[in-house]
Amino acid sequence: MSLIITDDCINCDVCEPECPNSAISQGEEIYEIDPNLCTECVGHYDEPQCQQVCPVDCIPLDPNNVESQEELMEKYKIITGQA
């Protein structure tokens, strides 16, 4: 399952540079996560780095993009050219 940034985002800019897949970008009002690039840091880290640094805890799992750990690992391999 990819992550999503909620309206509680304060645009503090700490999450974007932490994303190893460049899935986070500035949206019209708040930061956004591209579900096609988000692997919840699977393949890179044990935990999603954006969630670790977010000071307002506004990055939950996205219920509209449910993926298994195996699917996230496959996405990681495709994104990093290891597929």
Side-chain angles (χ1 to χ4, degrees), residues 13-75:
D13 303 320
V14 298
C15 62
E16 183 181 24
E18 296 299 320
C19 182
N21 297 326
S22 299
I24 301 174
S25 62
Q26 180 64 48
E28 283 190 37
E29 295 184 26
I30 60 173
Y31 278 89
E32 298 175 347
I33 296 177
D34 181 342
N36 296 314
L37 295 175
C38 180
T39 63
E40 293 180 50
C41 290
V42 167
H44 295 282
Y45 302 102
D46 292 335
E47 298 178 8
Q49 297 301 288
C50 60
Q51 286 181 329
Q52 299 302 307
V53 299
C54 181
V56 292
D57 197 27
C58 69
I59 309 175
L61 294 171
D62 182 356
N64 295 320
N65 289 294
V66 177
E67 296 169 292
S68 68
Q69 289 293 310
E70 293 79 21
E71 290 171 314
L72 291 170
M73 181 56 79
E74 284 303 312
K75 189 189 317 184

